[in-house]
Amino acid sequence: MTDKKQITSGLSWNTLTVVLQVVIQIAYTGLLARLVSKDSFMLMGIVLGIMGFAEIFSQVGVGPALIQRKEVHQQHINGAFYTAVILGLSFTLLFIGFAPVIANWYELQELKPIIAVVCSSFTISALAVVPRSMMMKNMRFKTMFKASMVSIIGGNLIVGLTLAYLGWNVWAYVWALFAQNLLMTLALWYYEPVKLSLNWQWSYTRELIRYGAGSTLFNAMNYLATKLDVLIIPRVMRGQMPELLPDQKASASYYERANYAMTQPITVMGKLSDSVLFSGMSKLQDDQTKLKKLLMLATSALAIILIPATAFMFFFADELVTIWLTEAYSETAVILRILFVAVIFRSLSKLGDSLLRAKDAVFKGAWFKAIYVLMIAGGIWYTVPMGMNSVAVAIVAATFIHYVMNMFICSQLVGINAGQLFRALVPALLLGIITLVTSWSVNMLCEFMQLNKYFSLIAGIGANGIALLLSIRLFPAILGNNDVNPLLHLPERLLKNKFVAGILKR
C-alpha cells in the first residue's frame, strides 16, 4: 500500500474511532449529569487534569519515540516496555502517597480516595505503551477501532452507567475510568501481541529517551495549556477562604462542562494528529514538498468543519446544552459560546504539533508551549474575579496567539508562508459566513414564531445542512484548488459517490 493510501485508510478508520468515542462520551456524560451531583464533574475535572499531566512524564515519551524511529529493533521494544512499566508503577505509588497533600491544597478531602484509585492508570497504561505504539506505527487503525470500542462500551456504558444508576455518584465516574483503562490494555495486547525478552540494553533505551524527553516536555506543555484552567480556577476562586462556597462550586462546574464540550473536537483532532498524522508525517519526514502539501490540505479540511461549526454554536449553544445536560446547566451555554472560538485555533495547532514531532523539533516547540501556558495562567489569574465569561475570553486570546507562534515554527520547517495558510482557510471562512447568515435567519424566524428550543435546533441543523450542501454543489470552487480541496483526496470508493462526482465534474 502506498503512503498516500495508507494515510487515507488510517485517517478514515481513526476518524471513525475518535468520532464514535466522542459521541459515546458526550452521551455518557449527558446521562451522568442526570444521575450524579454537579460536584462530581468538578472533582473529576481536577483529578483527571492532574493525572493526565503526570502521565505524560510517567512514560518519558518512549511510545512516540517508537513511532518516530525509522527502524525499531527488539531492544528498543524491550527498553520501551520495561522503562514504561517501572515508571508507571513508581508514579502510582507516588500519587497514593501525595493524595492527602493534593486534597489539602484544594481543601476538598473527597479527592483523597479518588486520587488513590485513579492513579492506578499510570501502571495500567504503562503496560499498553508498546502494543499501542506499534499498532499506530504500523497504522493498524482498524484494529485500534476494535480495541477502543471494547474499552469505552465496557467501561463507560456498562460499568459507569450501572453504578451511576445504583447511586454511586462520583464513584461511578471513577470506576468507569478504571474499567475503561483496564479493558483497553487487555484489548491492545490481544490484538497486538508484541514479543518481549528479558534482554534489556541501556544503549537502545537511551536512543528512545533522547527523543522521548523532548516529546515529553512538548506534550506536557501542550496538555497543561489544555487543562490548566480546570485545574486552577477552583483554587483561584477560593482565594484566602477556607473552602469554596456553593455558588463558586457551581460556577466551577459550569465552566468545567463548557471546557469539556469545547475540548471534544480538540480531542478528535488531537487523537488523529497523535496517531495518523504523526505516523504519516514521520514516514514523510525527509520530503519537504509532501509535508507542506499535507499540512495545507489538513488545514483546509479541518477548518471547513470547525469554522462553520463555531458559527452554528454561537446561535444554538443554549439548545445543545439543554439537551445534553438539562436546563440546570444553562449557564454553561454562555461560556461554551465563547470558548468554542478557541476550538478553531487549538485544533489547527494540532496539525503543526504533528509536524514538529515528526521533524524532531519538539524542544523548540516546547518553548512556545511554555509561553502559551504562561499566557493562560496569567489570563485566568486576572479574569477569575470578573467571572467565567471573562476567563473564556482570555483563553481564546491566548489560543490565537499560540496558533500564530505554532505556524511560525512550521513555516521554518517546510517553507509555508502566511499567504498560503490564509488561502487554505478561505474555503472555510466562506462556508462559515454562509452558516452564520443561515443560523441567524433561522434563529430570528423561530423567535418570531415562538417555537421551542428543540424545534429551533432541528430547524437550524436542517437549514444549515441544506445551505452548505447546496453552496458546494452550485459553486464547487468554494472548496478551493487541487492542493487544498479535500474532496479530491477522498478514498476512491467515495470519489464514485454521485454527489461527490457531480461536484468534481463541475
Side-chain angles (χ1 to χ4, degrees), residues 6-7 10-11 14 18 63-69 128-145 148 184 188 192 194 270-283 354 357:
Q6 196 172 31
I7 293 173
L11 189 61
N14 209 45
V18 176
L66 285 176
I67 299 171
Q68 197 270 344
R69 284 192 66 83
V129 165
V130 172
R132 180 194 295 274
S133 300
M134 296 310 296
M135 192 179 287
M136 289 168 60
K137 183 177 182 65
N138 297 324
M139 304 191 80
R140 297 184 61 213
F141 295 107
K142 183 177 180 179
T143 307
M144 182 70 81
F145 169 78
S148 298
M184 186 65 178
L188 286 170
E192 189 79 21
V194 180
K271 290 185 176 181
L272 291 178
S273 65
D274 286 344
S275 51
V276 181
L277 287 175
F278 176 39
S279 301
M281 286 181 172
S282 294
K283 289 178 180 291
S354 295
R357 295 166 65 202

Side-chain angles (χ1 to χ4, degrees), residues 222 225 262 266 307 338-350 368-369 371-373 375-376 391-409 418 421-422 425 429:
N222 201 26
M262 179 265 288
I266 301 170
I307 292 179
I338 301 170
L339 276 181
F340 217 81
V341 177
V343 171
I344 300 170
F345 304 113
R346 276 191 180 175
S347 298
L348 291 176
S349 293
K350 294 290 185 181
F368 284 86
K369 296 291 183 185
I371 296 172
Y372 181 30
V373 170
M375 287 191 296
I376 288 178
V391 174
V393 172
I395 297 297
V396 171
T399 304
F400 172 73
I401 296 171
H402 167 252
Y403 171 68
V404 173
M405 293 190 298
N406 188 284
M407 289 301 105
F408 172 75
I409 306 178
L421 266 178
F422 180 75
L425 294 172
L429 292 173

Side-chain angles (χ1 to χ4, degrees), residues 147-225:
S148 298
M149 290 303 103
V150 168
S151 67
I152 196 168
I153 292 173
N156 287 356
L157 299 189
I158 296 177
V159 175
L161 291 181
T162 299
L163 295 181
Y165 180 77
L166 293 174
W168 285 49
N169 209 20
V170 69
W171 285 99
Y173 210 151
V174 172
W175 289 114
L177 181 65
F178 178 88
Q180 185 180 343
N181 287 335
L182 183 61
L183 287 171
M184 186 65 178
T185 296
L186 293 173
L188 286 170
W189 273 102
Y190 176 80
Y191 289 117
E192 189 79 21
V194 180
K195 180 183 177 182
L196 296 171
S197 69
L198 295 175
N199 189 12
W200 179 11
Q201 295 182 22
W202 174 248
S203 58
Y204 287 89
T205 306
R206 187 168 58 241
E207 292 175 1
L208 297 177
I209 292 177
R210 188 210 65 79
Y211 175 87
S215 179
T216 296
L217 181 61
F218 181 83
N219 289 338
M221 292 296 103
N222 201 26
Y223 184 88
L224 193 57

Side-chain angles (χ1 to χ4, degrees), residues 276-386:
V276 181
L277 287 175
F278 176 39
S279 301
M281 286 181 172
S282 294
K283 289 178 180 291
L284 303 172
Q285 59 185 278
D286 297 324
D287 193 327
Q288 300 286 87
T289 302
K290 287 185 178 180
L291 282 176
K292 180 178 177 179
K293 287 183 177 179
L294 182 56
L295 181 62
M296 291 282 288
L297 174 62
T299 297
S300 178
L302 186 60
I304 283 173
I305 297 171
L306 292 177
I307 292 179
T310 301
F312 179 85
M313 184 65 70
F314 185 80
F315 287 97
F316 295 100
D318 291 311
E319 289 82 354
L320 289 168
V321 168
T322 299
I323 293 173
W324 177 36
L325 298 172
T326 74
E327 291 188 2
Y329 287 81
S330 59
E331 292 185 36
T332 295
V334 182
I335 304 169
L336 179 59
R337 191 175 285 114
I338 301 170
L339 276 181
F340 217 81
V341 177
V343 171
I344 300 170
F345 304 113
R346 276 191 180 175
S347 298
L348 291 176
S349 293
K350 294 290 185 181
L351 303 177
D353 291 349
S354 295
L355 179 63
L356 293 175
R357 295 166 65 202
K359 295 287 287 183
D360 197 1
V362 285
F363 281 103
K364 182 185 291 186
W367 284 107
F368 284 86
K369 296 291 183 185
I371 296 172
Y372 181 30
V373 170
L374 291 175
M375 287 191 296
I376 288 178
I380 292 170
W381 193 269
Y382 180 75
T383 56
V384 160
M386 305 177 195

